[in-house]
Amino acid sequence: MKLRQQSLTTFAIAAVALFVLPLLVQPFGDGWVRIIDAALLYVLLALGLNIVVGYAGLLDLGYVAFYAVGAYLFALLASPHLLNTFPGLRAYFPNGLHTSLWLVIPLGALVAGAFGVLLGAPTLKLRGDYLAIVTLGFGEIIRELVTNLNKPINFTNGAQGLSDIDSARIFGMDLNKTKHVFGFEVSGVTQYYYLFLALVLASVFICYRLERSRIGRAWMAIREDEIAAKAMGINTRDMKLLAFGMGATFGGVSGVMFATFQRFVSPESFALNESVMIVAMVVLGGIGHIPGVIVGALLLAALPETLRYVAGPLQEMSGGRLDASILRQLLISSAMIAIMLLRPRGLWPSPEHGKAGAPKGGQA
């Protein structure tokens, strides 16, 4: 009973801290709140990739493709680009194509999930490095597709990207406009913070339930030994496809949120380094462990932006001989190497199977 009360107290303190965090940071500038918003988006992405890599043990280096699918889907359905490309649609949408965010979120999850199954189907018999190469190629194909899909019909506007995307609206309220609540000024980026936080909490709950379900245990069995899992009657084919599809849905929803937050999407936002960074978040935090993945995502998402304020002064100290962007990447890489040397299983790894409840002395 006492342990339960301590858990409830911890959750209550965490809830209050998460609620007031942007309000405390906002006076220092919207830039800091924007960094937190971006970090929450990466948490969504990392939780989705953790299903594929952490639970099922399938190395996916093309995960950013599903991120792009969700972003471009919302950009096309909530911007004037399609009406400019196909003037005949204006007769059906005289006020513009302003598709509701709440319609595009499930649609983005569905379309991205379909792309995830499409990726998983030809890779069922691949493992390790071969699987990584195929998924990497899939991510590059999607990026090249959105880059060059502006001829002969301009669907994606090529390398110029899509702009004038609608901002998020909840019950008719535009989250991009500053509001005053009980005398407090709540900026647009702070309102997006609460939207992203709600999605992160929902995603954590879904991942938690998946991990403890029969499906989650089947994924982990495949991760540990696929041959043994198949011998025990697990349909490894369907389970792998489900892992790819379920993980991709998180990427699709994250892409929709990215598009409505930035209000501009372009192929540069979905380059290979983004996929590598998301994989690094999962590995750095702790593969297969939800709290560890969240910590890893928050750290790697916030660290590059925070180090901007360190690289600048170091550049001035060197008399301008050091490039700030290169110095920032050097600091990030050094921090990642140090963490992996000190914590090879991640910052917050999951307890090793069978050791948590093992009796002392090795007696059964």
Side-chain angles (χ1 to χ4, degrees):
M1 188 68 178
K2 185 177 180 180
L3 182 62
R4 184 178 180 182
Q5 290 178 348
Q6 291 177 347
S7 299
L8 290 175
T9 303
T10 303
F11 279 120
I13 294 174
V16 173
L18 289 173
F19 182 80
V20 302
L21 176 62
L23 300 177
L24 296 176
V25 175
Q26 186 177 287
F28 297 98
D30 286 345
W32 289 100
V33 185
R34 183 174 287 274
I35 292 174
I36 300 174
D37 292 347
L40 290 177
L41 278 180
Y42 277 110
V43 170
L44 279 175
L45 288 168
L47 287 172
L49 185 61
N50 186 54
I51 293 176
V52 184
V53 177
Y55 293 166
L58 305 171
L59 184 55
D60 186 357
L61 291 181
Y63 189 72
V64 75
F66 312 122
Y67 190 36
V69 167
Y72 269 90
L73 180 66
F74 184 75
L76 289 172
L77 295 179
S79 73
H81 178 73
L82 279 182
L83 296 185
N84 294 334
T85 305
F86 303 100
L89 291 176
R90 292 188 181 276
Y92 300 96
F93 303 97
N95 297 322
L97 192 62
H98 303 287
T99 310
S100 172
L101 178 67
W102 307 113
L103 177 61
V104 183
I105 287 178
L107 184 61
L110 182 63
V111 174
F115 271 88
V117 174
L118 181 65
L119 168 63
T123 63
L124 293 175
K125 295 184 179 180
L126 300 177
R127 301 178 187 175
D129 300 338
Y130 301 99
L131 177 62
I133 292 172
V134 171
T135 54
L136 185 151
F138 179 81
E140 287 299 293
I141 287 172
I142 295 298
R143 187 177 66 85
E144 290 296 328
L145 187 65
V146 297
T147 302
N148 296 283
L149 203 58
N150 58 342
K151 298 176 183 179
I153 302 175
N154 187 7
F155 282 104
T156 62
N157 206 29
Q160 296 180 1
L162 299 175
S163 58
D164 295 330
I165 302 172
D166 292 345
S167 57
R169 291 180 178 272
I170 299 179
F171 303 116
M173 296 185 298
D174 190 346
L175 297 190
N176 205 43
K177 296 182 179 179
T178 302
K179 296 178 179 60
H180 293 83
V181 181
F182 300 113
F184 290 96
E185 184 178 282
V186 183
S187 63
V189 290
T190 301
Q191 296 172 59
Y192 273 104
Y193 166 86
Y194 293 113
L195 174 61
F196 294 165
L197 180 62
L199 290 173
V200 167
L201 294 177
S203 300
V204 169
F205 175 76
I206 293 171
C207 291
Y208 181 85
R209 298 299 299 171
L210 280 174
E211 183 180 356
R212 285 155 180 76
S213 66
R214 293 178 61 185
I215 295 175
R217 295 182 186 278
W219 284 335
M220 295 174 194
I222 294 172
R223 179 191 66 194
E224 298 300 328
D225 193 326
E226 184 177 348
I227 297 176
K230 188 179 293 186
M232 293 300 294
I234 296 175
N235 190 331
T236 57
R237 174 183 176 275
D238 290 350
M239 287 296 104
K240 285 183 177 182
L241 288 177
L242 183 60
F244 274 112
M246 184 65 70
T249 59
F250 284 74
V253 173
S254 303
V256 172
M257 292 296 102
F258 173 78
T260 188
F261 179 57
Q262 292 290 115
R263 303 189 66 189
F264 171 78
V265 295
S266 66
E268 287 75 14
S269 301
F270 313 105
L272 174 62
N273 63 318
E274 289 293 321
S275 278
V276 174
M277 184 62 74
I278 300 168
V279 173
M281 291 173 181
V282 176
V283 175
L284 191 72
I287 296 178
H289 195 219
I290 296 174
V293 170
I294 294 174
V295 171
L298 291 175
L299 178 64
L300 282 188
L303 189 61
E305 300 300 326
T306 305
L307 287 179
R308 291 182 187 274
Y309 299 93
V310 178
L314 289 178
Q315 184 186 27
E316 294 179 0
M317 291 173 59
S318 66
R321 289 187 295 272
L322 294 176
D323 184 82
S325 61
I326 296 177
L327 183 60
R328 185 167 60 96
Q329 293 298 324
L330 178 63
L331 293 174
I332 296 169
S333 304
S334 301
M336 293 172 64
I337 292 172
I339 291 172
M340 294 313 297
L341 288 175
L342 297 174
R343 304 281 295 180
R345 296 186 61 240
L347 288 171
W348 195 344
S350 59
E352 293 185 359
H353 181 69
K355 290 190 176 181
K360 295 182 178 179
Q363 298 178 357

